[in-house]
Amino acid sequence: MSYPLSVAVVGAGYWGPNLARNFNLSPDWNLVAICDLDVDRAAALASQFRDVRGVCDLDALLADRELDAIAIATPARTHFAIATAAIRAGKHVVVEKPIADSTENAIEMIRAAAESNVVLMTDHTYCYAPAVLKIRELIRAGELGEILFVDSVRINLGLIQPDVDVFWDLAPHDLSIIDFILPGGLRPMSVAAQGADPLRAGKSCIGYLSLPLDGGAVAHVHVNWLSPTKIRQMIIGGSKRTLVWDDLNPQQRVSVFDRGVDLGQQAIDEADRSAVTVSYRLGDTWSPALQEREALASMVSEFAESIRERRTARTDGGSGLRVLRVLEAASESLGGGGKVVALRDPVVPAALDGARSGELAGEPA
């Protein structure tokens, strides 16, 4: 299928216009419609593009045999119903994060897509940013060595959302990135969440997530709506090198430090390890060149390529599910006063969970 695929954007609110603009500019796609319950809003957005219609009847849209795919940019509580209706109609689907409002619904979406042989993709846009693609490449090439920790900060003086807390609003970005860059995806052994509501807004406005990983590594995510300064930073520590990603530094977004801590001898057991000499390694710092491209443009291209190549997308339904289950565990932890919530992989047959990040077509395992 070398010709453009046809797509409709469902939802003309905050994110829909961004999706519509990128689909319209992409040579892989032919944007044909904007669908929204508010037909005037759909028509207003559609009028910004050539030969795009604004509609409010989703059933009629999905009945169009010429339509190949839809992009869902509606509230999370509606994702399941819209996505499953589209999948049953034989349409490929990309859905805004979070993939669904519950793990059960996400699993059913993955099952339905597998049974209908269509692509189900999660719009984890940050995963297609040039910096994140480079970080993933460096980790997979072994440049950092064994991953020891991931420390992520996403704070700003932001809009307090009316329907979700700061974890569900901001943390999906960080969790999706961690899922994307770690071999095997985001599979913490447990989740512990601490939240604060100093404004008495009825929801956490400040949050901290602790995620112990396999092999003794740990991931930590800090999100905050109340900070007077804006920080978008992730530090990834490895046994060889440490990487710092500062998304707000356009001159040097990614820095790799050949600095760290070395053990003076090979420890045989924990007793030996506690007694070894610690030395500090101070080496060079370098910054890889990045090819600047809008992340959302790369995302819509990946959606088309996964359809044409009949493979799972880089951020497939499985990646959306892994992020969602951490968010649900965080809510459970908050409800228990910060208790540690043990996690097990969701019960999804391997064939439905999609390819792991390193098993995609054209990439080394």
Side-chain angles (χ1 to χ4, degrees), residues 82-98:
I82 297 173
T84 51
I87 289 168
R88 292 189 184 106
K91 314 303 181 187
H92 304 283
V93 174
V94 61
V95 58
E96 185 185 4
K97 58 84 182 169

Side-chain angles (χ1 to χ4, degrees), residues 265-280:
Q265 67 182 56
Q266 179 66 42
I268 299 174
D269 55 31
E270 291 301 322
D272 290 334
R273 184 173 290 275
S274 65
V276 299
T277 301
V278 175
S279 62
Y280 296 90

Side-chain angles (χ1 to χ4, degrees), residues 18 34 140-141 199 220 281 292 315:
N18 295 316
I34 308 293
R140 302 179 76 72
L199 299 183
H220 184 265
R281 183 180 67 258
E292 291 299 330
T315 52

Side-chain angles (χ1 to χ4, degrees), residues 229-242:
T229 59
K230 184 176 182 178
I231 299 175
R232 298 285 186 272
Q233 189 177 78
M234 184 175 288
I235 303 173
I236 305 164
S239 58
K240 293 182 180 178
R241 299 175 183 88
T242 296

Side-chain angles (χ1 to χ4, degrees), residues 317-331:
S319 65
L321 175 59
R322 291 190 292 275
V323 169
L324 178 59
R325 73 193 188 101
V326 172
L327 293 173
E328 287 186 330
S331 295

Side-chain angles (χ1 to χ4, degrees), residues 76 98 159-170 203-204 225:
L159 177 66
I160 296 176
Q161 300 296 329
D163 55 343
V164 294
D165 63 18
V166 71
F167 291 102
W168 284 78
D169 180 38
L170 297 183
K203 57 181 70 68
S204 293
W225 280 331

